[in-house]
Amino acid sequence: MAKAVQKITLNRSEDIPFDKLELSQQNVRNIKAGVSIDDLADDIARRKLLQSLNVRPILGENGEETGRFHVPAGGRRYRALELLVSQKRMATTEPVPCIVKRGDETSAEDDSLAENVQRVDLHPLDQYRAFQTLREQGLSEEEIAARFFVSVATVRQRLRLASVSPRLLDLYANDEMKLEQIMAFSITNDHIRQEQVWDTLPRQHIRDPYYIRRLLTETAIRAGDRRAIYAGVKAYEAAGGAVMRDLFDEDNGGWLQDPALLEQLGVEKLKADAAALKTEEGWKWVEAAFDFPYGHTSGLRRFYGEQQEFREEELARHDTLKAEYEKLDAEYAEAETYSEEIERRLEELGSELDQLNERPYVFDPDEVARGGAFISLAANGELKIERGFVRPEDEPQVKTDSDDSKDGVGAIGNAGHASSSADGISVNGKPASDDQPTEEDNTVRPLSDRLVMDLTATRTVALRNALANDPVIAFVVVLHAFVLKTFYLYGSESCLELTLQSAKFSQTQGLGDTLWAKEIDQRQEAWGQDLPKKPEELWGYLVALDDVSRQALFAHCASLSVNVVIEPWNKRTRAIAHADQVARSIGFDMATAGWVPTVDNYFGRVTKPHILQAVGEAKGEQSAQLIDHLKKQDMAREAERLLDGSGWLPEPLRTVGKETASDDVSPAADKAGNDPADEANGGDVPALLADAADLSDQNQNAHEDDGYSHLDAAE
């Protein structure tokens, strides 16, 4: 005979006056967490009590019930009700719905723990749907946040899930997708694009939220881009442009989805600024572009303005501020304690002094009338204006001796020729040589061309010898020639037959934004301001210059002639070998100089075998195997992450005779037992690949039906 199943009897619910209840000390919740008691009291006042209290009768000495009850589970609700009573918002005798527990099957502590542990937080998707329903009922985001004691940002984040494709939300509801991934997809409202990205992820073996965001925003432009800063995100939105924003992560203003519109707005504003600059300052021409190729000013003469003089009131103000700053700084240097007030005052004084010192430059009106300026965008989105350039065709015409032929050499020569003809003396059908003038002729004739050449040749040799015995002046002479070629270009000439050429690199995008190019431009600008305006005054300036400054100027000019570019039609083998000698002599290396391989400058411009070769050289073949199944674009991105900080250089950037980071990794060393897991623990493998490394050995020759290989474990 089957044994009957014993039926469960539930505890009965009773309404107990609040003044008959006492808070039990057996409640396991002792640490404050979640919604505050004040907020909970307000919520109970609004919607009344939603959950009964769990109580147990208090027994007397003889084991009989005393009519009072203690509350081991529901302590926060009890405190909230107690607060309402103290605020006179609820009567002390108000009946409170309670579940009365009689018997000792479980202890009070057991019940309190079960109530707090066994409950499950609301699924974010359910919370989103509930918030969405309340929104449809007419409640604002602020009202929803106030009712449920969450931040407005939390409400907006949950409501933002409405932008995610219903198909992806269903995957999330079935635990086939993580919350972080759903949040990443919410960055755009394009459901089709969201599903396309999700469908490609299994083949990529990468499902990290950062990677999802990268794929969704790869055709957009960040709000921090210099073009967006310059044109203005507000102006872009006013023109109808859409902006993707990420409510779940730091997005720095979001992503602009219409690059063409942004380009149009930027070009229009740039044209207006260029026209205003030309009109206000009187330049003959102004060229405008978001960015100019490096070397765009090559072949143009540069002239510089002079800083505007202080007005009397400005000079007096400057002296007063400087005196106060120096006095306060000296006193503070001797103080033993930190003073925020003094620090702030020093900062204010320094800022005002800087403003006074940064006076505008005044240019020669004649030069401005024939010169021009370049206007572009700096990295921070502000206008970058380069003033004072003259094109060769705009240079003033220099009057030559040939223009004065009637009064100069030609006139005298004609007289001599007539005199010789009158005497009937000629040699080989020509007038007698001027080297043998007749005694009867008292006319002072010009020296013959041959004699002038012979005499000046003699002077050249003698001057060479004298200059060779004076190294200091020899240095100045070469420097003079270099500076003339570097800063003056036209209307000047040196007696030295030296050439100083500076190669142009207009085809290399972004070269002007590098740290090295910026330092060169800063030196050129600084020397250009210091050098005399006229080339005739340069020699005296250089002679009077101190040795250290002369050497610095010489190094700057000489450096601009360096060219180690390898061209398809000119391998320049000997020049490159000499460049290696120079690099070794000054301890130069591209890695230590700050060059790092990226998608833009290397990995995105080579083939997949080149990428794998680079990773293998820098990190070993095991690391290369972890990415060998990826598509070209994804492989390039992961290679950039892997080689960050490795010091690896492609062959054209290596200095022959100097060790590089890639020399430290050899196939023999890689085969000696390098464990991919050890590499991951050591930081050589990115986090998204680290888990896969443990299984790479067993997976490298096997492929699952769905196409997964090395990175299966990364999920």
Side-chain angles (χ1 to χ4, degrees):
M1 180 177 179
K3 185 177 180 180
V5 179
Q6 186 176 359
K7 298 297 189 290
I8 298 173
T9 302
L10 299 178
N11 297 320
R12 297 292 178 257
S13 175
E14 300 179 19
D15 290 340
I16 302 174
F18 180 76
D19 58 359
K20 301 296 184 183
L21 302 176
E22 299 178 10
L23 184 60
S24 174
Q25 299 302 315
Q26 296 170 304
N27 192 311
V28 298
R29 185 189 289 273
N30 294 312
I31 300 174
K32 295 180 180 180
V35 179
S36 69
I37 299 300
D38 291 344
D39 292 339
L40 183 57
D42 291 338
D43 190 66
I44 292 175
R46 179 187 300 115
R47 67 182 85 253
K48 308 305 182 286
L49 197 63
L50 298 179
Q51 186 177 357
S52 302
L53 302 183
N54 187 303
V55 302
R56 290 175 178 248
I58 298 176
L59 305 179
E61 295 179 356
N62 55 1
E64 297 179 353
E65 295 185 7
T66 61
R68 298 186 64 79
F69 300 83
H70 64 83
V71 185
R76 297 182 72 253
R77 277 164 281 151
Y78 175 85
R79 290 191 182 93
L81 294 171
E82 186 179 43
L83 179 61
L84 291 173
V85 170
S86 67
Q87 294 173 345
K88 308 286 186 197
R89 300 169 69 185
M90 190 181 82
T92 59
T93 58
E94 176 67 24
V96 178
C98 301
I99 301 295
V100 181
K101 178 73 174 290
R102 292 181 172 88
D104 55 358
E105 294 92 347
T106 56
S107 65
E109 292 84 356
D110 193 349
D111 290 350
S112 177
L113 182 62
E115 183 188 55
N116 287 285
V117 172
Q118 294 183 6
R119 63 182 177 183
V120 178
D121 290 336
L122 191 65
H123 195 281
L125 191 56
D126 292 329
Q127 191 180 35
Y128 142 66
R129 288 167 175 161
F131 285 169
Q132 186 78 355
T133 300
L134 293 176
R135 183 69 181 273
E136 293 171 356
Q137 292 175 356
L139 293 181
S140 67
E141 296 171 351
E142 290 74 14
E143 290 174 324
I144 296 173
R147 288 196 176 193
F148 294 96
F149 309 106
V150 296
S151 67
V152 177
T154 299
V155 176
R156 289 174 179 166
Q157 287 176 346
R158 294 296 180 261
L159 292 175
R160 186 60 178 268
L161 296 181
S163 64
V164 180
S165 162
R167 175 191 161 200
L168 300 186
L169 290 178
D170 290 340
L171 293 174
Y172 173 50
N174 295 327
D175 294 330
E176 298 180 44
M177 189 183 297
K178 298 177 182 178
L179 176 61
E180 292 78 8
Q181 294 169 326
I182 281 290
M183 292 190 301
F185 278 111
S186 71
I187 199 173
T188 177
N189 296 321
D190 189 344
H191 291 180
I192 296 177
R193 178 58 180 159
Q194 291 172 352
E195 294 177 6
Q196 287 175 344
V197 169
W198 175 254
D199 291 338
T200 61
L201 288 180
R203 294 195 297 272
Q204 305 295 345
H205 302 274
I206 303 172
R207 295 187 176 185
D208 285 10
Y210 91 90
Y211 191 66
I212 294 173
R213 289 187 179 91
R214 178 189 292 178
L215 293 178
L216 291 172
T217 60
E218 61 185 358
T219 59
I221 296 177
R222 278 194 171 274
D225 185 274
R226 59 181 174 178
R227 294 166 293 176
I229 296 174
Y230 174 66
V233 176
K234 290 184 178 180
Y236 166 81
E237 290 180 308
V243 179
M244 291 190 294
R245 301 192 185 276
D246 192 347
L247 296 183
F248 300 94
D249 198 6
E250 184 67 32
D251 65 3
N252 296 318
W255 294 263
L256 282 62
Q257 292 182 268
D258 193 341
L261 175 60
L262 178 63
E263 188 89 4
Q264 176 186 345
L265 294 174
V267 169
E268 291 175 355
K269 186 175 181 182
L270 203 56
K271 285 181 179 178
D273 287 336
L277 179 70
K278 185 176 184 296
T279 302
E280 294 172 4
E281 300 187 9
W283 299 102
K284 181 178 181 179
W285 54 266
V286 174
E287 288 190 18
F290 288 134
D291 192 21
F292 288 103
Y294 184 67
H296 63 284
T297 62
S298 180
L300 304 181
R301 177 172 64 85
R302 181 78 183 269
F303 63 91
Y304 298 87
E306 295 183 356
Q307 203 165 30
Q308 197 174 65
E309 295 292 337
F310 279 117
R311 297 194 299 270
E312 290 187 9
E313 60 272 18
E314 290 178 335
L315 185 58
R317 179 61 177 165
H318 180 274
D319 293 342
T320 301
L321 292 173
K322 185 176 181 181
E324 182 182 354
Y325 183 92
E326 292 176 349
K327 179 181 178 183
L328 189 60
D329 185 49
E331 293 175 352
Y332 188 45
E334 298 177 357
E336 297 181 354
T337 58
Y338 170 80
S339 173
E340 183 177 353
E341 182 179 353
I342 295 178
E343 289 277 1
R344 183 171 59 253
R345 180 56 181 163
L346 286 172
E347 185 175 348
E348 292 173 354
L349 292 171
S351 177
E352 193 168 352
L353 283 170
D354 289 341
Q355 291 178 1
L356 287 172
N357 288 325
E358 293 175 358
R359 300 181 308 285
Y361 285 86
V362 179
F363 292 84
D364 182 349
D366 293 336
E367 292 279 39
V368 171
R370 70 172 65 94
F374 295 94
I375 181 171
S376 58
L377 296 185
N380 60 359
E382 296 181 354
L383 281 180
K384 176 184 177 182
I385 303 176
E386 302 170 277
R387 298 175 173 88
F389 294 92
V390 181
R391 293 166 173 163
E393 60 269 23
D394 294 330
E395 290 288 351
Q397 297 298 320
V398 180
K399 191 175 183 180
T400 63
D401 292 340
S402 60
D403 298 330
D404 300 325
S405 59
K406 293 182 179 180
D407 301 324
V409 176
I412 299 175
N414 289 336
H417 176 73
S419 175
S420 298
S421 300
D423 294 338
I425 302 174
S426 64
V427 178
N428 295 329
K430 297 180 180 180
S433 172
D434 290 334
D435 287 342
Q436 301 171 353
T438 60
E439 295 295 334
E440 301 79 25
D441 191 356
N442 295 323
T443 304
V444 180
R445 302 168 180 164
L447 299 179
S448 68
D449 293 340
R450 179 54 187 260
L451 178 59
V452 171
M453 290 177 60
D454 291 343
L455 292 176
T456 52
T458 304
R459 181 174 185 265
T460 298
V461 174
L463 184 57
R464 285 180 178 179
N465 183 62
L467 190 60
N469 290 308
D470 195 333
V472 174
I473 297 300
F475 179 87
V476 176
V477 173
V478 175
L479 176 59
H480 180 262
F482 281 5
V483 175
L484 285 175
K485 189 66 175 176
T486 303
F487 290 91
Y488 296 91
L489 296 181
Y490 305 104
S492 59
E493 190 174 352
S494 169
C495 66
L496 270 63
E497 293 186 344
L498 298 177
T499 58
L500 185 71
Q501 298 178 349
S502 185
K504 301 179 182 179
F505 314 107
S506 58
Q507 73 281 5
T508 306
Q509 295 297 323
L511 193 58
D513 293 328
T514 62
L515 175 63
W516 318 301
K518 290 179 179 178
E519 288 186 359
I520 291 174
D521 291 342
Q522 289 171 0
R523 280 197 299 270
Q524 182 83 2
E525 181 77 18
W527 279 114
Q529 296 289 353
D530 291 342
L531 291 172
K533 299 298 181 288
K534 298 180 180 179
E536 295 81 6
E537 301 171 359
L538 178 61
W539 179 260
Y541 174 87
L542 295 178
V543 171
L545 203 61
D546 63 273
D547 290 341
V548 174
S549 299
R550 270 203 299 259
Q551 292 173 5
L553 180 57
F554 183 89
H556 171 68
C557 295
S559 69
L560 296 180
S561 68
V562 172
N563 183 8
V564 292
V565 176
I566 299 175
E567 298 166 323
W569 57 88
N570 186 7
K571 300 304 181 182
R572 308 180 72 239
T573 306
R574 294 182 179 178
I576 301 304
H578 178 232
D580 290 334
Q581 291 177 333
V582 174
R584 289 194 299 270
S585 298
I586 61 177
F588 173 80
D589 178 76
M590 284 297 292
T592 56
W595 190 91
V596 293
T598 65
V599 173
D600 292 334
N601 67 18
Y602 185 74
F603 294 121
R605 303 173 64 180
V606 297
T607 62
K608 291 174 68 173
H610 282 102
I611 299 176
L612 295 175
Q613 180 186 29
V615 175
E617 289 180 355
K619 295 295 181 180
E621 291 303 322
Q622 296 283 12
S623 297
Q625 291 173 7
L626 290 175
I627 64 171
D628 63 359
H629 61 282
L630 297 178
K631 287 184 176 180
K632 164 67 181 303
Q633 186 177 16
D634 302 324
M635 181 186 291
R637 289 168 177 161
E638 294 311 313
E640 177 181 331
R641 295 181 62 188
L642 279 169
L643 268 64
D644 184 28
S646 67
W648 179 86
L649 296 172
E651 187 174 354
L653 296 185
R654 300 174 188 173
T655 299
V656 176
K658 182 178 178 63
E659 290 187 359
T660 62
S662 58
D663 297 331
D664 299 333
V665 179
S666 64
D670 188 63
K671 294 177 181 178
N674 290 343
D675 189 353
D678 293 338
E679 292 184 22
N681 294 335
D684 288 339
V685 180
L688 64 95
L689 301 178
D691 294 337
D694 294 332
L695 299 180
S696 62
D697 288 338
Q698 65 189 49
N699 286 341
Q700 58 184 333
N701 294 320
H703 296 270
E704 300 296 334
D705 295 337
D706 58 1
Y708 281 59
S709 58
H710 298 306
L711 299 185
D712 292 348
E715 308 305 323

